[in-house]
Amino acid sequence: MSNIIPPSVKQAVMGQKGAKLDQLAAHTVEPSKNTRITSDFGTKQTNTDDWLRVNSENQIGPMLLEDPFGREKIHRFDHERIPERVVHARGTGAFGTFRLFESAEDVTHANILTDTSRETPVFVRFSTVLGSRGSADTVRDVRGFAIKFYTQEGNWDIVGNNIPVFFIQDAIKFPDIIHAGKPEPHNEVPQAQSAHNNFWDFVQMHSEATHMFLWTMSDRAIPRSYRMMQGFGVNTFTLTNASGKRSFVKFHFTPELGVHSLVWDEALKLAGQDPDFHRKDLMEAIDNGAYPKWKFGIQTIDESQEHDFDFDILDATKVWPEDLVPVRYIGELELNKNVDEFFTQTEQAAFCTSHVVPGIGFSDDPLLQGRNFSYFDTQLSRLGVNWQELPINKPVCPVMNFNRDGAMRHTISKGKVNYWPNRFEAQPPATKEEGGYVDYPARVAGIKERAKSAKFKDHFSQAQLFFNSLSEIEKSHLLAAFSFELDHCDEPVVYERLVKRLTDIDLGLAQSVGQMVGGAIPDKAARANHGKKAKGLSQLEFLPDQPIIASRRIGIIIADGYDPIAFNAIYGAAKGAKAIPLVIGTRRSEIFPDGESISGKGTIPDHHLEGQRSTMFDAIFVPGGKQAIETLSKSGRALHYIREAFGHLKPIGATGEGVLLIEKALQLPGQVTVSSDHEAVESYGVVTLKNVQPERLGEVVSAAKNAKGFLDKFVYAISTHRCWDRELDGLNAMVAY
Ligand code: HEM
């Protein structure tokens, strides 16, 4: 290898982690006071405000077409837009690093999966599927999870989702499922959601979609953050080891922060209040050094066991249940750098399932094989034939071949020949020993036909498995999601048939949905529920190993006269735990603390109550202070803040007179218990301490379930994400939000 790599490239390759960033730096410019504005052809400009024109005294005259600067500026602007992605148009990306902890050399010879000394640069793009580029982040939808590994052997792309299965088994159906899900053709409504006739019409008529639509009706489809969702390669790929033995593989990414979702009311409100919520969340975390991390795992099946399962392992509408095929975690993905420019880096990023490196290959998964054609093809119309030369897509290893020309070719290839073989023997193919890709010699024989094997016809067993494996709270969210979606279908044939389809999964579910959405309520299951469950399907299984509140947004509500002791204690504890405390005042100019406690300096809030709603925060805290609480008690917005946070199941903390505000807002005496003395009390995720003594606030020592101190209790409540008992016991339903 060393003979064919120029020194500059070699250095970039050897730099490993920084290799991609170094390469991008060569294409990067930065305006400063010392740079001067020029035309695209490099001539410095003196006037950027006036088009060249013919004026007479006191009279403006016509503009001259001869002005190259004026023409160029408008001309460039007119052509700024490129087609958005045909699916997954809305997204955001970041750079990071992939590290391997354990070699998988027993199953693959891919260096990225065997060399534990490597740090491979990556670019990851998260997305929604259905919406346009400007649609909201928090809609109910699948999330894309696409990773480009810039390995020393070429780019390897995993173009996955946050849901491990897909709607269809065969790529030929992709245009249909996407047409059905996207806005309807006659009026281009609705944007970025599946809640409409066409989507439910299609998935009902296309029963292989049943398993996947259960996943999209679950909380998986409304993640709290891109940082808190799993990633799956979905399709079945193959790995080949050094002795030529082949295994089937599925790829998994599991977030360090646990898998968490929004609640639906919050997701709906956020779509209007902050359509960029997920995009900003990712940038904020990275800017604050709370780098999101995922464990990387593989599930592998030896080639000889391909037919040992009661589902076809090449069917993308099926999971490989973890009880049957455990996930082996061998690496870690970390995101640690935001992009410098969205268009050139995130928008121009182009992923292809067909990008693999030696040791990794494809299977006969009929969805994957279609994808392998589609991605390359779509990049041609989105970006043009030389899209792989764009800085974000360019490999960090040498790219040397006889592909030539095409619009916007960047590379200048020296030499007299542009073909192989040639009389100079220039640029021969690599041998296996030199790291060349060797296709697995698979024996293929069969009948040419349009059909799939019998196991592909089972569309319901795993749908039942998923449903049965959900917790009670997840099932109730599933019911609410169906109720919402089908309420948006105004053609009875659509929701009536769908309710009938649910009898293939669970009669109780079908009856509950039927009652909510109207039409005949079924009295008979079309198929008996087998009652089996599996591990790894309920997202509540994926909690962080330790209580963690890093990067969680805590809104601290204050007004003049607030208690600075409690305020400072919470603020400091949140910072110490790498959470993000944000002060919400009655105004954004300085707010002054209770003069009797500390006289002097006030706090300049980050926001005021009208600027940011409770939906922006993971938890709310109200410090006491007599005057402050009197003011907040008279503010409908402040009371609504507390009610809404309670409705969205978020932890709420209050000290001193702040406890009174909580009681007034919730009006749930006897149901939510609050502190009445110097003992901290936790009740349904509401953590209170009436008599504040600095030593009683304590420090965050052990944020555990039964901790004594107020701070420990509050931090623990935040780490649990949401208080599900509040919903299970019907308390949030009693509060108006
Ligand atoms: C396992 C099922 C699938 C998964 C997990 C998946 C995932 C993704 C993801 C994550 C993206 C966004 C990539 C980015 O961030 O730029 C994407 C885009 C796309 N997908 Fe898929 N997809 C699936 C099935 C398919 C199928 C079956 C086809 C076509 C046969 C297809 C065609 C496309 C196209 C054309 C794009 C737009 C790419 C671009 O313009 O850059 N996908 N897909």
Side-chain angles (χ1 to χ4, degrees):
M1 185 173 165
S2 54
N3 303 339
I4 41 176
I5 303 178
S8 58
V9 177
K10 194 166 166 185
Q11 194 185 5
V13 172
M14 295 314 167
Q16 290 191 6
K17 193 168 87 168
K20 188 62 197 174
L21 299 184
D22 292 350
Q23 189 195 51
L24 290 172
H27 295 273
T28 306
V29 293
E30 188 169 7
S32 76
K33 281 190 174 169
N34 299 324
T35 56
R36 293 291 173 269
I37 201 161
T38 76
S39 66
D40 274 347
F41 50 93
T43 303
K44 288 186 186 137
Q45 283 178 257
T46 51
N47 179 339
T48 56
D49 296 342
D50 296 299
W51 195 299
L52 192 64
R53 57 171 59 87
V54 183
N55 295 336
S56 54
E57 203 179 339
N58 294 331
Q59 178 66 49
I60 193 160
M63 301 192 318
L64 295 177
L65 199 58
E66 80 172 47
D67 182 357
F69 301 111
R71 272 193 345 253
E72 181 190 87
K73 192 155 175 189
I74 299 297
H75 191 64
R76 281 303 308 267
F77 174 74
D78 289 346
H79 299 275
E80 260 177 26
R81 297 283 171 271
I82 62 167
E84 65 174 32
R85 289 171 176 82
V86 63
V87 279
H88 294 261
R90 170 77 185 173
T92 198
F95 293 97
T97 310
F98 176 75
R99 298 181 193 91
L100 188 73
F101 296 138
E102 178 193 314
S103 167
E105 64 195 4
D106 51 321
V107 283
T108 180
H109 66 92
N111 286 340
I112 184 172
L113 299 181
T114 54
D115 181 352
T116 51
S117 69
R118 279 194 183 195
E119 294 201 338
T120 303
V122 299
F123 182 73
V124 176
R125 181 174 179 271
F126 303 108
S127 48
T128 54
V129 180
L130 294 176
S132 305
R133 206 181 139 187
S135 56
D137 281 345
T138 59
V139 297
R140 175 177 294 283
D141 199 353
V142 183
R143 296 301 184 285
F145 196 128
I147 306 140
K148 194 178 280 297
F149 299 86
Y150 302 97
T151 87
Q152 298 175 34
E153 292 76 33
N155 287 354
W156 174 36
D157 295 352
I158 296 184
V159 199
N161 282 339
N162 74 329
I163 289 179
V165 289
F166 203 62
F167 289 109
I168 49 168
Q169 297 170 322
D170 190 317
I172 201 166
K173 281 287 180 190
F174 191 67
D176 295 300
I177 175 68
I178 296 304
H179 285 174
K182 283 259 188 187
E184 297 192 0
H186 60 298
N187 57 5
E188 219 186 5
V189 171
Q191 181 55 241
Q193 49 192 296
S194 53
H196 60 108
N197 289 321
N198 283 3
F199 175 77
W200 288 105
D201 181 34
F202 177 81
V203 297
Q204 186 281 327
M205 303 199 59
H206 200 70
S207 54
E208 71 199 42
T210 311
H211 187 196
M212 173 75 162
F213 78 57
L214 277 187
W215 281 82
T216 60
M217 290 305 105
S218 78
D219 291 343
R220 301 275 184 161
I222 43 168
R224 155 64 181 85
S225 158
Y226 292 133
R227 305 174 289 123
M228 299 173 201
M229 57 184 206
Q230 284 179 288
F232 303 94
V234 183
N235 289 116
T236 301
F237 287 81
T238 55
L239 297 176
T240 310
N241 70 13
S243 354
K245 192 166 146 37
R246 191 165 80 143
S247 314
F248 295 98
V249 64
K250 279 195 190 274
F251 300 111
H252 292 245
F253 296 88
T254 299
E256 184 190 44
L257 296 175
V259 180
H260 300 294
S261 293
L262 299 168
V263 296
W264 180 233
D265 181 71
E266 184 188 18
L268 277 178
K269 289 173 174 168
L270 274 171
Q273 290 166 357
D274 191 356
D276 306 304
F277 185 71
H278 284 154
R279 195 176 268 200
K280 283 155 70 175
D281 167 272
L282 182 66
M283 286 190 292
E284 181 180 73
I286 293 176
D287 283 343
N288 279 292
Y291 298 145
K293 288 196 181 99
W294 288 260
K295 284 189 294 181
F296 167 76
I298 51 175
Q299 278 181 299
T300 54
I301 295 177
D302 192 278
E303 200 174 20
S304 62
Q305 291 163 353
E306 178 178 356
H307 300 292
D308 290 1
F309 300 86
D310 56 12
F311 54 91
D312 196 308
I313 66 165
L314 306 185
D315 176 357
T317 66
K318 307 289 193 307
V319 291
W320 295 356
E322 290 182 31
D323 327 57
L324 304 179
V325 190
V327 182
R328 171 179 168 197
Y329 287 102
I330 58 171
E332 181 186 78
L333 172 75
E334 174 188 276
L335 296 183
N336 46 34
K337 186 185 176 315
N338 284 314
V339 298
D340 291 314
E341 190 184 23
F342 189 88
F343 180 81
T344 47
Q345 299 185 314
T346 306
E347 196 57 18
Q348 294 201 135
F351 298 86
C352 284
T353 49
S354 55
H355 286 172
V356 287
V357 291
I360 303 172
F362 312 116
S363 72
D364 291 337
D365 171 344
L367 192 70
L368 173 62
Q369 298 213 336
R371 295 182 74 196
N372 285 345
F373 165 75
S374 175
Y375 288 85
F376 194 92
D377 183 49
T378 195
Q379 310 307 359
L380 298 181
S381 66
R382 196 165 72 84
L383 300 167
V385 70
N386 279 309
W387 58 273
Q388 305 203 64
E389 289 193 315
L390 292 169
I392 190 67
N393 298 323
K394 206 176 156 126
V396 292
C397 64
V399 174
M400 303 291 281
N401 58 41
F402 295 114
N403 295 337
R404 290 287 189 272
D405 308 348
M408 305 298 157
R409 176 73 171 169
H410 285 45
T411 307
I412 300 163
S413 307
K414 283 183 162 186
K416 284 188 175 174
V417 289
N418 54 2
Y419 53 87
W420 173 262
N422 59 62
R423 62 191 178 282
F424 305 109
E425 294 186 13
Q427 212 163 263
T431 60
K432 185 180 171 199
E433 291 65 38
E434 287 170 324
Y437 190 94
V438 179
D439 292 284
Y440 180 77
R443 183 181 299 280
V444 181
I447 299 157
K448 188 159 77 176
E449 58 177 357
R450 293 188 186 273
K452 288 183 279 291
S453 69
K455 284 183 190 168
F456 276 80
K457 295 200 174 68
D458 174 5
H459 299 161
F460 302 112
S461 301
Q462 286 211 353
Q464 292 183 345
L465 191 70
F466 176 71
F467 177 74
N468 297 339
S469 305
L470 295 181
S471 63
E472 195 183 337
I473 197 81
E474 289 171 300
K475 281 185 182 160
S476 85
H477 293 174
L478 194 74
L479 168 62
F482 277 118
S483 304
F484 178 93
E485 295 267 317
L486 297 180
D487 189 69
H488 286 68
C489 300
D490 52 12
E491 294 188 33
V493 65
V494 174
Y495 56 81
E496 283 171 1
R497 283 181 175 174
L498 200 278
V499 169
K500 205 154 164 257
R501 166 66 66 230
L502 296 179
T503 63
D504 282 307
I505 302 165
D506 185 80
L507 181 61
L509 174 69
Q511 289 173 329
S512 306
V513 175
Q515 268 163 5
M516 282 307 288
V517 302
I521 298 169
D523 56 6
K524 215 162 127 253
R527 194 173 308 272
N529 183 338
H530 56 54
K532 289 184 212 147
K533 297 182 181 186
K535 206 173 117 187
L537 303 179
S538 160
Q539 72 176 55
L540 293 187
E541 287 177 31
F542 296 94
L543 292 175
D545 296 340
Q546 299 293 327
I548 180 169
I549 66 162
S551 78
R552 291 296 182 141
R553 310 182 99 228
I554 303 170
I556 307 178
I557 303 177
I558 58 168
D560 281 331
Y562 69 90
D563 168 13
I565 295 172
F567 172 85
N568 289 335
I570 288 291
Y571 198 92
K575 279 262 175 209
K578 294 202 170 144
I580 302 174
L582 292 152
V583 182
I584 314 299
T586 43
R587 56 177 187 270
R588 204 158 80 156
S589 52
E590 195 168 1
I591 306 260
F592 297 98
D594 178 359
E596 287 172 23
S597 306
I598 288 180
S599 57
K601 234 173 114 236
T603 296
I604 299 192
D606 297 287
H607 300 285
H608 57 67
L609 284 164
E610 295 299 329
Q612 302 268 310
R613 300 292 166 85
S614 83
T615 47
M616 307 287 165
F617 305 99
D618 292 296
I620 302 292
F621 174 70
V622 188
K626 192 162 174 288
Q627 185 200 342
I629 297 306
E630 272 171 19
T631 306
L632 293 172
S633 297
K634 290 184 204 136
S635 157
R637 178 66 68 211
L639 292 167
H640 181 260
Y641 232 83
I642 311 284
R643 288 182 189 143
E644 191 172 52
F646 187 83
H648 295 162
L649 314 175
K650 293 175 182 176
I652 297 172
T655 52
E657 294 85 350
V659 179
L660 303 175
L661 186 74
I662 305 300
E663 286 182 298
K664 178 163 185 199
L666 302 184
Q667 301 280 331
L668 291 172
Q671 277 150 315
V672 174
T673 318
V674 293
S675 159
S676 55
D677 53 21
H678 55 264
E679 294 296 334
V681 171
E682 187 278 329
S683 168
Y684 286 104
V686 177
V687 186
T688 48
L689 174 64
K690 190 67 193 292
N691 298 340
V692 179
Q693 297 153 327
E695 68 280 6
R696 286 276 169 185
L697 280 169
E699 289 169 11
V700 184
V701 183
S702 61
K705 196 165 185 182
N706 299 317
K708 278 230 162 286
F710 172 81
L711 285 180
D712 281 345
K713 278 186 188 293
F714 189 40
V715 166
Y716 179 74
I718 301 171
S719 78
T720 60
H721 180 64
R722 298 296 155 109
C723 177
W724 303 118
D725 286 345
R726 213 184 274 171
E727 187 172 299
L728 286 170
D729 291 350
L731 296 194
N732 64 328
M734 294 184 207
V735 173
Y737 60 95

